[in-house]
Amino acid sequence: MDLLNYLGIGFSVALRPENLLYCFVGVFIGTLIGVLPGIGPVGAMSLLLPSTFKATPEAAIIMLAGIYYGAMYGGSTTSILVNIPGEAASVVTCLDGYKMARQGRAGPALGIAAFGSFIAGTISVLGLMLLAPPLARFALEFGPPEYFTLMMLGLTILIYLAHGSMPKALIMAAFGIVLGLIGLDTMTARPRFTFGRMELLDGVGLVPIVMGIFGVSEVLLNIEQVVRRDVLKTTIKGLLPTARDWKDSTGPIARGSLLGFLLGVLPGGGAVISSFLSYALEKKLSKHPERFGKGAVEGVAGPEAANNAATGGAFIPLMTLGIPPNVIMAMLLGAFMIHGVTPGPLMMKQNPHLFWGVIVSMYIGNFMLLILNLPLIGIWVQILKVPYKILFPLILLFCLIGVYSVNNSVFDIYVMLIFGIVGYLMKKFDYEGAPLVLAFVLGPMMENNLRKSLITSQGDFSIFFTRPLAAVSLVIAVILLISPLIPWLRKKREEIPKEEAS
Amino acid sequence: MRSRDIISSLFWAVMGIGICWGGYELELGNLHDPGGGFMFFWVGVIMVGLSCGILARAIRQTATAGEMKAVWAGISWKKIVSVLAVLFIYAYLLTPLGFIPATILLLIFLFKAVEPQRWSWAILGAVVSTLAAYGVFRLWLQCQLPPGLLGS
């Protein structure tokens, strides 16, 4: 009964005209950036964050969430039509999606991707709705040691899953923590690493860092060499999959949804890993594995369902524990904070309108995406044809406006440009941006909880080992950290598909 | 990989030492009551340790001839440096010139920077994009943008 009441609250919030508009704008932009290689959901969310300042917290989060799951829908379009994934999570869709398009079946490929995404998105929202309340109640018993170790575990998993060398990912995380701690000490109000600059007293902004690393550096990488994108010249017809396609895809969509949702809850690149695992699983279960890679519809349906279901799962740690499991959720945490809302176990009680409004808006957003991605597919195909020489000045313009309007500060533009250069060099030297950004967001919370834990225990580190959840989290984190030293664990890590920087 | 890792690990080692020093200056406190520099110091120590690890591994690897050259090969430095320089100049001129004039100038340059286009197209594209951005962000979303020469 409670659940129905809460759903009622959610619908009353999500169906307000203003929120419907923000939801539509979110999923529209999400699809757009999913379609356009060069700017990912993180960049787009930071870019649009300032535009939500005048909106209510509900509208702001509804729109930003829409960008996230909308990007997963849009990412499949480029994979199928151009053989270039719009998102890392759509890499695997290229394998069979593009082959289907070459065989004249672009329509059913796009259709099953959209339907699969819709079904998986809806299932994951249901999972989120059912799982979040009990987890939030459980989280009320957590103290600073649990929070510190959980954040450490989250960060460690992201580092473990990072692309390339683990020590490099660790250095990035350490650097992110340092950047996150710049500004006034929350306990003593003493300035730290501000170098006498007033602008740094409040710390370095999340938006300039994210825009620099994920926006400006991407542009620099794209203009250094000309990238050709040849849109497959094919007529897209018959978007509705055939009965045979449905028969082949029902199982993969169901399995992909479940797998995606469960992996999405875990920190790290849930959407990416789940799409690869779903592909591997379907190939293994198939009676005709030889069809995979040659235009098998299951190879599109399963991974697309998995990456969309993962987006719903990723909301669980953020909304119930206040711990972002990936960079995109870290961005969303920043948005929550800017709007004066602290996500965590109390959010459901203190802000039921926001919590349930966002969840219900995801149902509605999924419907909107279905319409955007099926009847309106032609628009996205046209957008794919916009040349980069026109696109990149506009991306830079939006980055500049987005960064400036957060604090009306030119200083933030300089910070973004510096991090643009840093991000560019990071890519050249094989360092990844995701651990830096997540550590940047988690750093201050980790420090706060570490100091509180040590003050409570009077300097006794055993507080982290005597509390079961803290101990388990710490042990797993340590195992993951030392994994490169253990050959079979190192091999396992190398086999996992990795999330690229964006 | 070798040269890149040597260069980057040395950079991070120096950075880590600086962070340790900064943390130490900020006051470490003690385990009963960690000070403001506690986390900085230990994170700095970890950075130095990791950098040394990367450096040691890189030194053990055999050098590949022309490795650094390969990383930077085929890159159009002129484009990258000029785009960055213009963005810094834009940031510097944004307040005195104002959003509209500064952005039009920036976009004209950017539209011509990567693949040269006709002047008429670049100017028209820059003006239309700037006015559209102004309409959306300033007039509709009411974001503050510097007025500069054009007043309010």
Side-chain angles (χ1 to χ4, degrees), chain A residues 168 190 192 392 428 431, chain B residues 4-5 8 26 32 36 114:
Chain A
K168 285 183 176 180
R190 190 176 165 191
R192 301 188 293 181
F392 96 90
K428 289 289 172 196
Y431 286 82
Chain B
R4 278 187 289 168
D5 285 356
S8 65
L26 277 169
H32 295 76
V114 176

Side-chain angles (χ1 to χ4, degrees), chain B residues 104 107-108 111-112 117-127:
Chain B
I104 289 176
L107 287 181
I108 291 174
F111 278 131
K112 297 235 8 133
Q117 299 170 64
R118 284 203 311 272
W119 275 104
S120 55
W121 201 101
I123 293 170
L124 186 70
V127 172

Side-chain angles (χ1 to χ4, degrees), chain A residues 133 255 337 431:
Chain A
R255 285 186 288 273
M337 298 293 200
Y431 286 82

Side-chain angles (χ1 to χ4, degrees), chain A residues 123-192:
Chain A
I123 290 174
S124 80
V125 174
L126 277 171
L128 169 63
M129 203 175 74
L130 295 171
L131 211 63
L135 195 61
R137 276 195 294 276
F138 177 56
L140 281 172
E141 288 163 26
F142 293 178
E146 281 82 7
Y147 273 107
F148 173 74
T149 49
L150 275 173
M151 285 179 212
M152 203 174 141
L153 176 62
L155 198 53
T156 311
I157 296 179
L158 189 86
I159 289 163
Y160 181 77
L161 296 173
H163 181 72
S165 151
M166 222 169 117
K168 285 183 176 180
L170 272 165
I171 286 189
M172 284 292 96
F175 185 49
I177 291 175
V178 170
L179 287 173
L181 296 180
I182 289 173
L184 289 181
D185 181 354
T186 48
M187 288 194 174
T188 61
R190 190 176 165 191
R192 301 188 293 181

Side-chain angles (χ1 to χ4, degrees), chain A residues 39-343:
Chain A
I39 181 161
V42 186
M45 282 165 82
S46 50
L47 212 140
L48 286 165
L49 185 61
S51 69
T52 67
F53 289 172
K54 302 271 176 205
T56 60
E58 289 90 356
I61 305 300
I62 283 172
M63 186 180 91
L64 295 171
I67 294 175
Y68 179 33
Y69 57 85
M72 295 298 151
Y73 270 72
S76 58
T77 307
T78 44
S79 297
I80 293 166
L81 295 178
V82 199
N83 203 21
I84 295 177
E87 283 311 309
S90 301
V91 168
V92 81
T93 310
C94 291
L95 300 177
D96 284 282
Y98 187 64
K99 288 277 158 52
M100 282 179 77
R102 290 191 68 132
Q103 292 159 7
R105 300 193 71 228
L110 290 164
I112 206 71
F115 280 117
S117 301
F118 171 74
I119 295 165
T122 309
I123 290 174
S124 80
V125 174
L126 277 171
L128 169 63
M129 203 175 74
L130 295 171
L131 211 63
L135 195 61
R137 276 195 294 276
F138 177 56
L140 281 172
E141 288 163 26
F142 293 178
E146 281 82 7
Y147 273 107
F148 173 74
T149 49
L150 275 173
M151 285 179 212
M152 203 174 141
L153 176 62
L155 198 53
T156 311
I157 296 179
L158 189 86
I159 289 163
Y160 181 77
L161 296 173
H163 181 72
S165 151
M166 222 169 117
K168 285 183 176 180
L170 272 165
I171 286 189
M172 284 292 96
F175 185 49
I177 291 175
V178 170
L179 287 173
L181 296 180
I182 289 173
L184 289 181
D185 181 354
T186 48
M187 288 194 174
T188 61
R190 190 176 165 191
R192 301 188 293 181
F193 282 79
T194 55
F195 305 103
R197 299 285 312 203
M198 287 289 286
E199 296 94 333
L200 289 175
L201 284 179
D202 277 341
V204 188
L206 172 65
V207 176
I209 289 185
V210 171
M211 294 269 225
I213 292 176
F214 292 98
V216 176
S217 75
E218 279 299 320
V219 169
L220 294 177
L221 284 168
N222 279 313
I223 58 171
E224 71 174 23
Q225 275 149 356
V226 181
V227 179
R228 283 182 62 82
R229 279 187 287 150
D230 295 321
V231 181
L232 191 71
K233 288 187 180 67
T234 177
T235 321
I236 299 167
K237 53 188 176 187
L239 284 164
L240 292 179
T242 60
R244 176 70 198 269
D245 289 335
W246 274 115
K247 190 172 166 272
D248 290 341
S249 305
T250 310
I253 290 174
R255 285 186 288 273
S257 304
L258 193 66
L259 189 72
F261 179 74
L262 294 175
L263 287 172
V265 179
L266 298 177
V272 185
I273 298 164
S274 61
S275 63
F276 275 90
L277 278 184
S278 163
Y279 189 84
L281 180 71
E282 294 313 324
K283 197 172 172 182
K284 204 161 210 169
L285 293 177
S286 174
K287 286 175 189 159
H288 304 284
E290 71 283 355
R291 284 174 49 240
F292 279 73
K294 292 173 187 162
V297 73
E298 304 95 303
V300 177
E304 278 302 313
N307 70 32
N308 276 275
T311 59
F315 278 86
I316 289 184
L318 177 67
M319 304 261 258
T320 58
L321 306 175
I323 301 175
N326 58 38
V327 183
I328 296 167
M329 288 295 123
M331 227 15 254
L332 214 56
L333 175 67
F336 271 112
M337 298 293 200
I338 286 172
H339 284 275
V341 179
T342 312

